[in-house]
Amino acid sequence: MVNQVQRGDGTLSSRSDSSAASASGGDSSKESSRCSTPVLDADRTDRLRYKMRRRMESGDHWFSLEFFPPRTASGAVNLISRFDRMGSGGPLFIDITWHPSGDPGSDKETSSMMIASTAVNYCGLESVLHLTCCNQSKDNISRHLSKAKHLGLKNIMALRGDPVGSDWEEEEEGFNYAVDLVKHIRSEFDDYFDICVAGYPTGHPEAHSYKEDLIYLKEKVAAGADFVITQLFFRAETFLKGVYAYLDQQCVCVQGYQSLRQLVKLSKLEVPEEITRVIEPIKDNDAAIRNYGIHQALEMCRVLLDSGRVPGLHFYTLNREVATMEVLRQLGMWQEDPRRPMPWAVSAHPKRKVEDVRPIFWGSRPKSYIYRTQDWDEFPNGRWGNSSSPAFGELNDYYLFYLKSKSSKDALLVFEVFTCYIAAQPNRKGHKVMCLPWNDEPLAPETNMLKDELEKVNTRGVLTINSQPNINGKPSTDPIVGWGPPGGYVFQKAYLEFFTSSENVNALLKVLKKYEPRVNYHIVNVHGRNLTNAPDMQPNAVTWGIFPGREIVQPTVVDPVSFMFWKDEAFALWIEQWAKLYEDESPSRMIIKYIHDNYFLVNLVDNDFPLDSCLWQVIEDMFELLQTGLDTGDLEATKLFHVFPI
Amino acid sequence: MVNQVQRGDGTLSSRSDSSAASASGGDSSKESSRCSTPVLDADRTDRLRYKMRRRMESGDHWFSLEFFPPRTASGAVNLISRFDRMGSGGPLFIDITWHPSGDPGSDKETSSMMIASTAVNYCGLESVLHLTCCNQSKDNISRHLSKAKHLGLKNIMALRGDPVGSDWEEEEEGFNYAVDLVKHIRSEFDDYFDICVAGYPTGHPEAHSYKEDLIYLKEKVAAGADFVITQLFFRAETFLKGVYAYLDQQCVCVQGYQSLRQLVKLSKLEVPEEITRVIEPIKDNDAAIRNYGIHQALEMCRVLLDSGRVPGLHFYTLNREVATMEVLRQLGMWQEDPRRPMPWAVSAHPKRKVEDVRPIFWGSRPKSYIYRTQDWDEFPNGRWGNSSSPAFGELNDYYLFYLKSKSSKDALLVFEVFTCYIAAQPNRKGHKVMCLPWNDEPLAPETNMLKDELEKVNTRGVLTINSQPNINGKPSTDPIVGWGPPGGYVFQKAYLEFFTSSENVNALLKVLKKYEPRVNYHIVNVHGRNLTNAPDMQPNAVTWGIFPGREIVQPTVVDPVSFMFWKDEAFALWIEQWAKLYEDESPSRMIIKYIHDNYFLVNLVDNDFPLDSCLWQVIEDMFELLQTGLDTGDLEATKLFHVFPI
């Protein structure tokens, strides 16, 4: 299915060249003055057609998932959560359909364009954007393609689309067939996009003959299409006896099905009689129909895979997940234990392919980090380097629609909320605290390793928002803390980040003197400058990995400069995502406002990663010092408030 | 002694600025597009005056060593070895005297200029070059200074020097006093150089009065001198009662003595009577005089240090080492267990201050690596990065005078020579094999950890030239494998590099399949291309360190690209440094030529650093396979010789 035939313009060799370039670290031809990246994982950096080629060579079947754009904003939020969940099963790519009547190329949260962009940039999914050309001007199509390129989309499914009205006629110079769109993409955008086209196992419904249709398909491939996805079909034989025989060395992707009732509604194809015969008697029993659908799909997929002629299965999900996941699980194709390519959620934007280091602060808010750095030309690679003036996106244009929300109104006793969150316990009103403003997602599994300690300090006013345990050389395949390719070892320095009162901070600063140089700290309030013992304001690597035949990869750092940007965001979240849930002058809002104005944000790193983390002892010492009483006339305390004018 | 008074031109504040810049990573004002370096060790990157200031602030006394340029080339070789030995004791700097009659600014191996350059670039010593201005044109002086700057020298001792002839008179516009030279340096080279001037504890011999001389000294300081070294003196009181009182807040370095007889010859100063009284009766007893000299120097140094007014001691070594080292040892100032700032021998050239990664291949030939990369504008830092076209210096202009030599004529049985070298045993002719062409120096202490295994494989024709054991997180202060600042942990992957026959290589390649991907290899013969399993030709980090508050430092890599440059050098050494010891057509020369033409250079890395090295097992398996017999019709073997056209 990957295009290996020579194109009319003889560009095959130039493609092999870019393949080679890609293998050695990205296919960008731009001369970069920065160090090149270690490229841990070719699958992360290669373009789709090379990924397919590698999987075909290794005989490793893949699956892919098709979604349509949602109708409402809340539908979009749900769909994006679904991308995260279904993405973890390991699809080779997903694709987003294109419906000309729904303003698919707009900036709306629900447009095909924006949904595909979100899948690529925020969910890290290799994505294919459908595009139809029927009744479209060349300018319009070029505009869509330029926008897609700008957003980081690399793959287009080139379709004719359904003509509007019944009296459609070919336009001279217009886009009459998908092949015209393929030619247009190649002539305007050269080799930038990977192009997919549709194949019809029984011929296109409008084609004069099956054979004629196959001629069109071959034309599309000759014009530069890279791979073919078939229209859906209900019988494996349809595919195996059909297209495959004619396309000779071309393999073809298979479009499966699972939720039969909806397919029947949507598809213009006839449903085979043996299927309607089964369905008719159980048509009012949803569960029975679903089970039958799963059973049918499973059978068909097995026949196709066993044929040895099908490299991958493409699932039309209808934006649902249960049935597709069930079929894939039973086929053994669903990745139950997903490997993390990096310790943080990667982006699939081509510009970010080389990204291999991020500040730890956005660990629980990766989408925010991606959003705020989307205009960067280069991503720090190899090392964080000189970040003295990183242009983080402004906070005021920062709230993506799907980053809003989720906060609950259950919070009055702030400490209790934090504690309940860590303990995964319901609060006194019986509501489970599922997330805090500083965390996009539920607690990471590794945070559970610290649960007891976190719970204990939160009840005492050390309001933790980020942490990681120390790790001294666990295999990179470790299910909880592992990341990167197998055969490596991963390491971490213990990290703890929290809000706490100025009284606590005074005690903490005294305690920290005992822990020099083992513990590095940054302490800041909403107005203040960074009080730190970081040497020369350099970044501290807190997560790193050693892999066969590679340089050291250090994907997470505590960076003094970006900490100040994070500080603004972290303090703003008290107000924007929490205080605003309550009315002005309400007690809840006043408490939160007080914390915002008076508390400090603290982060601590224990550099001695082979030993047990001393950070809990640091906190313990702080509490102890508070109990025995601080010398109130102490110069240190006075000095602190000079450093931080409140 | 560090200049802290305000200069006439009020440049004090600009100096403080550059001090701040220096603290955050080098004082180069040039905007670099490369990543900044982690700066492990401020002492390595700071300029001399800041190092002094830090030592004065911490109350940590220093010592420094003065040498004169050698008369002969072999004297130069000896002096450079002495630099390496005495450098390990931890002098804050060394200085090289300037003798106008000896062509001190020339390119000769023995010139002051070239000796100082060698000390900086190859021995990594902070060095001060003396420069006298008497009877010199401004152009001439500027030429010397430009050359010094180009060679990486950062410190000048500005002296008037002795006038030629007895009828010297002041020249208008000429250099009449050292202060003229100081002014000239500051006006032509701004703040580039740190400038040292001489102080005379009892006044300059030619000064009209002691007080007048002190006025001159103050002028020199006001003109921009950074610190003062006194002329030598024999009594601590001379110094303590003299200059110190007048210079107010200026501390002054003390020039001591140790080999009294030579001092008496050289110095124009009078020897105190109590000293001549002791010496006269023992004047024919060298040992007695030396002991007395050491005793006297020790006494004086103790008085000076105890006075609390002397931050450092400057030793006039007369190019000898025993007495100076003895005095310093007894004072407790000699660093017995020198810390390595990096696992390789660093250079003190300002351009190389940020250098923090090198290929492992030149590990035993660091001077060769420095020489061949001296024209690089930037040094890979943070990571080796894209080294696709590093411009290594050509082999034909490669032999520095002091890199020649040392080979002995004892080699006929090559394997025996290698084995004797590893075992530190005499060979059959009774000569100890002290070095091989591939090693500048005796075996590193860590290589002793591998001695038994190395010995075993060398007897069987695996001719090892480089190796390191695996290290899984030893403290950075470990006396054998440690490097970098305290509080860190160092790691290594096991490494082995050797020459061996094509028969062995055929077996090795089969064996290595069992060790994928644990072992990475590069195999090459004198003509061939690199046969390797290195992923995407990326560098493999084989030495790295984790330090408090820092990014990961990875100073040694196995880099596929530079390996090809090393290959040329390593094969050439057979011919240039070994075969040429023997006559044409002699059996020894023929054997060596055969090895050069037919053997392969192999390097192996065991990526699984937490486990025991498997590399010995790899070699063992190779021998075993050779004994059980290779399938001679084997395709692999055939293929190998296709890959390497011999």
Side-chain angles (χ1 to χ4, degrees), chain A residues 2-45:
Chain A
V2 176
N3 189 344
Q4 290 174 333
V5 292
Q6 184 137 14
R7 294 211 223 115
D9 57 354
T11 48
L12 183 66
S13 60
S14 86
R15 285 196 180 196
S16 325
D17 288 349
S18 80
S19 166
S22 161
S24 63
D27 52 4
S28 158
S29 61
K30 185 185 146 226
E31 277 292 334
S32 169
S33 60
R34 290 196 73 93
C35 322
S36 63
T37 178
V39 190
L40 263 184
D41 183 1
D43 244 20
R44 196 180 145 208
T45 55

Side-chain angles (χ1 to χ4, degrees), chain B residues 557-600:
Chain B
V557 294
V558 169
D559 166 58
V561 178
S562 58
F563 181 59
M564 298 311 282
F565 289 90
W566 167 247
K567 180 264 291 181
D568 292 339
E569 180 168 335
F571 275 103
L573 287 167
W574 283 105
I575 303 299
E576 296 298 324
Q577 298 226 345
W578 206 339
K580 285 191 176 164
L581 297 174
Y582 306 97
E583 278 170 35
D584 255 356
E585 309 295 322
S586 67
S588 296
R589 191 147 175 176
M590 287 193 288
I591 289 172
I592 292 171
K593 191 75 170 59
Y594 177 85
I595 290 177
H596 171 270
D597 294 346
N598 294 282
Y599 269 36
F600 286 78

